[in-house]
Amino acid sequence: MIMQRIENKFLSKYISMPTLLAVITILFFSLFSCDEEEFLKEEPLDFLTPSNSYVTNEDFEAAIYDLHSTVRNDLWGQGGRDDNPRVTWYGTDLALTYFDTTGSNDYRARWGAQGVQLDLWRILYRLIYDSNVVISRSKAENKLTTEQRLVFEAEARFFRGFAYNKLANLWGGVPLVLEETTEPKKDYVRATREATYQQAADDLEFAADNLPDIDTTSESRINKLAASHVLTEVYLSLNQWQDAITESSKVINHPNTALMTERFGSRVGESPNSEFPWGSGDNKDVYWDLFRQGNQDRSAGNKESIWNLQYQYQIDGGGDGQYLLERFVGPFITRASVRESNGSTKTVVLLPSTYYMGRSQGFIRPSDYFLNELWEKSGFDQDIRNAPHNIVRDIKVNNPTSEHHGKYIMADNVPLVRTTNNDTMRFFYPMVMKVSTPENHPSEFWDADQTIPGTLLGSAQQTWRKHYMIRLADTYLLRAEAYLGNGDLINAAGDINTVRRRSHAPDVLPADVDIDYIMDEQLRELHFEKLRIFTLGRLGKIVDRNRQFNPIVGEYIGDHQNLWAIHFSEILKNTEAKLEQNPGY
């Protein structure tokens, strides 16, 4: 009707109807049309994208927990032969494996340009990549408060500094990536080793300044003392001795940190087990207590704890079930055999047992140096870390079908079969109980048939406690390194003796302190707790310690192998610049 009136009034005099319609259409779209870019912009409502993944405090917390998860599940929780943590103990003074004695591990190739180290390299760069994302997004538009932005950046920079420190320890100078990577890049070049350590120091200084105190943050998050500890290690690599002393002293002198010197925690007050003295009972000590379930966190009264990996069996987010220290480190005791009087053989242990490290399989045998000379230099019978319940050197035959059932292998001179390499390198050797949980395996892993007390199912192969990433005893030994570097042997000996006195070990004299003594003490205190190859790499001691204390590996390791090779695949992909290889590879 309206259009009809318009046509009647104007059409004949001024304009034709088709022209008028065109004008109206143009005016309509001019007045009411939207911005084309805005109209085509997608707004995700029910899925995550880069635009909506880093907005709220909860978003950033999830990203931080993913960094923790990478350290826990990838550095410590992989199950294969060439996965972590096993690959960080091969070729060290800690372990001499049957892979070494059979020639299966040739470290000239294993650490070479096409060796097994690529996975470890990628894990550390994944930490860097993910940290860079958190850092950049914390500074972008989001809903964080100023304080939240600062803490998230500090925690992400902790992990970035942590990763660069470890990369420098094993590879020397590496490419420094300090911004979020948003597109393919093929022109990486290596920084110097000093510059890599300096970048780690810059990140960790920021973290130490801005992270919350150990008493005000969750045990599942990083605190400023953890940052100070790792920063101490970086300062040692930079020969900044006084800075290392200052930073480690912040950890040691904190009013709420202390070495645990008295028995504590979940296993105190148990009745002794006369059949298996290394099981339950009040014949134990504080070092044994440090590694029992439930005793690792500060909330359990453990003032020695600085940073723990939060493993928790049957808890969502509590780990992927691949933290298999029992399986890796314990002997494959169900394959060890004794000779019967009629000439036949019987296994030492008939079935997996809570008293014999569950379903252990003998992949990481402690070296002869670790098992013998290391403790002979430390007061073999005095040092509680070598007590018979902490390193079990003689065990009972636990097989009712054997005439030797109930006898001790060594004390009763039971004829142990030792005819093959596997017999001594994999099937029978001392049990390191800090990685096990005697009498405390979860109930569902106990066999219903307890005719042989302690029998477990074959699936009992995990580790069932949280894991120390940083413990105060470690900080004391780092400060001892710093005092040694600074020429202060008295204070270096003082820090070492603080750790040794807790273990009832004889004091070391200042004149006897050198870097090898400190490395020995780190091995005594932190065995199977630290990733040993990083310590040897940081100190440039991979070659030397293998040649001194690991005769199989030391016989053929190359002079150049204090640094690992950059993997050939990384060099090959870097087509727009030259990624230099380490010398000798």
Side-chain angles (χ1 to χ4, degrees):
M1 190 71 172
I2 294 173
M3 292 303 301
Q4 198 172 24
R5 291 177 182 174
I6 291 174
E7 183 178 3
N8 291 339
K9 188 170 183 180
F10 298 105
L11 183 55
S12 59
K13 187 173 182 180
Y14 299 103
I15 191 170
S16 67
M17 186 60 177
T19 304
L20 180 60
L21 286 173
V23 171
I24 291 173
T25 300
I26 293 170
L27 288 172
F28 177 83
F29 280 104
S30 297
L31 292 172
F32 299 105
S33 65
C34 64
D35 184 328
E36 183 175 328
E37 289 188 8
E38 187 66 26
F39 179 76
L40 295 175
K41 182 179 180 181
E42 294 183 352
E43 183 177 349
L45 299 177
D46 59 355
F47 61 93
L48 294 176
T49 72
S51 65
N52 69 353
S53 298
Y54 294 87
V55 178
T56 67
N57 183 72
E58 290 73 19
D59 294 337
F60 281 87
E61 278 190 337
I64 290 294
Y65 282 126
D66 188 61
L67 292 169
H68 284 265
S69 178
T70 295
V71 172
R72 182 188 66 184
N73 296 344
D74 293 344
L75 277 182
W76 279 95
Q78 298 187 38
R81 176 194 166 194
D82 288 327
D83 289 335
N84 307 304
R86 289 165 62 179
V87 76
T88 70
W89 296 327
Y90 291 148
T92 71
D93 48 4
L94 171 61
L96 178 60
T97 77
Y98 80 99
F99 295 118
D100 298 320
T101 57
T102 60
S104 301
N105 286 346
D106 183 340
Y107 292 90
R108 292 165 296 187
R110 284 177 65 77
W111 299 338
Q114 299 196 56
V116 301
Q117 74 278 30
L118 180 60
D119 183 56
L120 185 54
W121 169 279
R122 286 176 172 171
I123 289 168
L124 295 170
Y125 269 107
R126 188 185 317 141
L127 277 175
I128 292 166
Y129 172 85
D130 290 340
S131 298
N132 283 338
V133 173
V134 174
I135 294 166
S136 66
R137 301 303 175 86
S138 70
K139 298 175 181 179
E141 184 179 350
N142 54 55
K143 295 182 180 180
L144 300 180
T145 66
T146 301
E147 182 180 359
Q148 289 170 338
R149 290 173 189 262
L150 197 60
V151 172
F152 284 128
E153 181 182 356
E155 197 159 0
R157 290 188 68 173
F158 169 86
F159 282 105
R160 190 171 72 181
F162 171 88
Y164 275 126
N165 178 44
K166 293 200 174 300
L167 285 164
N169 289 344
L170 289 186
W171 285 278
V174 298
L176 297 179
V177 186
L178 305 179
E179 303 291 337
E180 179 181 354
T181 303
T182 58
E183 58 186 26
K185 179 176 170 62
K186 299 179 180 181
D187 60 350
Y188 293 104
V189 294
R190 296 178 66 177
T192 65
R193 192 180 202 185
E194 182 177 3
T196 304
Y197 278 130
Q198 188 57 59
Q199 180 57 52
D202 292 345
D203 281 335
L204 292 162
E205 286 165 357
F206 184 91
D209 287 342
N210 293 288
L211 283 169
D213 191 63
I214 193 168
D215 292 327
T216 61
T217 191
S218 166
E219 290 174 317
S220 63
R221 299 285 292 275
I222 300 298
N223 59 75
K224 62 170 61 260
L225 297 191
S228 289
H229 176 99
V230 182
L231 181 56
T232 297
E233 189 176 289
V234 175
Y235 283 151
L236 291 173
S237 297
L238 291 168
N239 296 336
Q240 295 176 210
W241 312 119
Q242 187 56 53
D243 289 332
I245 293 167
T246 300
E247 209 61 36
S248 55
S249 295
K250 294 177 183 177
V251 184
I252 293 168
N253 297 336
H254 190 281
N256 289 316
T257 65
L259 292 185
M260 302 299 291
T261 57
E262 303 292 336
R263 292 209 61 192
F264 73 102
S266 61
R267 304 290 297 271
V268 174
E270 294 177 325
S271 299
N273 187 326
S274 58
E275 290 296 315
F276 299 98
W278 60 88
S280 60
D282 272 346
N283 59 329
K284 307 303 187 298
D285 53 56
V286 66
Y287 193 77
W288 192 83
D289 286 334
L290 283 168
F291 303 98
R292 300 310 108 206
Q293 292 102 312
N295 288 2
Q296 285 70 55
D297 283 337
R298 294 176 63 79
S299 57
N302 187 345
K303 290 189 173 183
E304 191 165 337
S305 172
I306 307 298
W307 174 25
N308 294 333
L309 299 182
Q310 297 294 311
Y311 287 95
Q312 192 73 32
Y313 176 63
Q314 286 191 331
I315 297 294
D316 288 343
D320 60 4
Q322 294 298 307
Y323 180 41
L324 307 179
L325 285 194
E326 278 191 329
R327 178 171 177 256
F328 296 159
V329 177
F332 202 170
I333 198 69
T334 54
R335 294 286 184 89
S337 299
V338 293
R339 186 77 61 185
E340 304 287 286
S341 57
N342 64 5
S344 65
T345 62
K346 296 286 187 178
T347 57
V348 171
V349 177
L350 189 61
L351 295 166
S353 171
T354 190
Y355 302 110
Y356 298 84
M357 302 186 74
R359 185 179 171 254
S360 53
Q361 292 190 282
F363 293 124
I364 300 287
R365 180 191 186 275
S367 67
D368 289 339
Y369 178 70
F370 173 81
L371 291 173
N372 300 305
E373 186 179 347
L374 185 72
W375 302 105
E376 290 164 1
K377 295 192 294 186
S378 185
F380 193 97
D381 296 321
Q382 298 166 263
D383 194 325
I384 65 172
R385 297 167 297 190
N386 187 45
H389 51 265
N390 286 322
I391 300 179
V392 181
R393 299 172 182 275
D394 194 6
I395 63 172
K396 287 183 176 182
V397 177
N398 195 25
N399 183 348
T401 70
S402 170
E403 65 191 60
H404 302 295
H405 178 64
K407 297 178 181 179
Y408 279 92
I409 298 288
M410 303 299 177
D412 296 324
N413 200 28
V414 172
L416 182 69
V417 175
R418 289 181 168 172
T419 57
T420 71
N421 183 63
N422 276 342
D423 288 333
T424 54
M425 294 305 301
R426 189 176 181 191
F427 297 161
F428 186 88
Y429 53 78
M431 299 187 298
V432 179
M433 298 308 290
K434 73 186 286 187
V435 306
S436 187
T437 56
E439 296 187 27
N440 217 3
H441 288 81
S443 58
E444 58 267 37
F445 290 93
W446 289 67
D447 196 313
D449 182 356
Q450 287 294 306
T451 302
I452 304 175
T455 299
L456 300 175
L457 301 175
S459 52
Q461 59 182 4
Q462 296 178 223
T463 301
W464 312 98
R465 61 163 173 81
K466 298 177 182 180
H467 183 86
Y468 298 108
M469 281 296 285
I470 299 174
R471 189 159 58 82
L472 188 62
D474 190 2
T475 315
Y476 270 104
L477 297 178
L478 288 184
R479 192 171 70 173
E481 276 191 57
Y483 280 130
L484 175 64
N486 221 25
D488 186 348
L489 296 180
I490 293 175
N491 275 316
D495 277 348
I496 297 168
N497 287 332
T498 296
V499 175
R500 291 181 59 76
R501 287 169 188 165
R502 189 264 293 279
S503 293
H504 303 170
D507 280 1
V508 62
L509 296 174
D512 293 331
V513 174
D514 59 16
I515 194 60
D516 282 299
Y517 189 93
I518 293 174
M519 294 179 74
D520 280 349
E521 192 62 24
Q522 290 168 331
L523 203 55
R524 283 186 280 264
E525 181 69 25
L526 304 168
H527 53 277
F528 297 116
E529 192 176 339
K530 301 288 285 186
L531 303 173
R532 182 65 171 176
I533 195 70
F534 288 107
T535 298
L536 300 188
R538 171 173 67 84
L539 293 167
K541 290 284 189 173
I542 293 175
V543 175
D544 181 57
R545 294 288 286 196
N546 272 293
R547 286 177 175 166
Q548 286 189 73
F549 306 126
N550 194 327
I552 303 297
V553 178
E555 184 177 354
Y556 57 79
I557 194 170
D559 291 341
H560 61 289
Q561 292 199 274
N562 279 319
L563 292 178
W564 287 4
I566 305 290
H567 203 274
F568 178 68
S569 63
E570 298 295 279
I571 295 173
L572 190 65
K573 290 184 294 186
N574 199 62
T575 57
E576 298 175 16
K578 186 174 183 180
L579 194 60
E580 296 283 351
Q581 182 59 277
N582 277 325
Y585 292 105

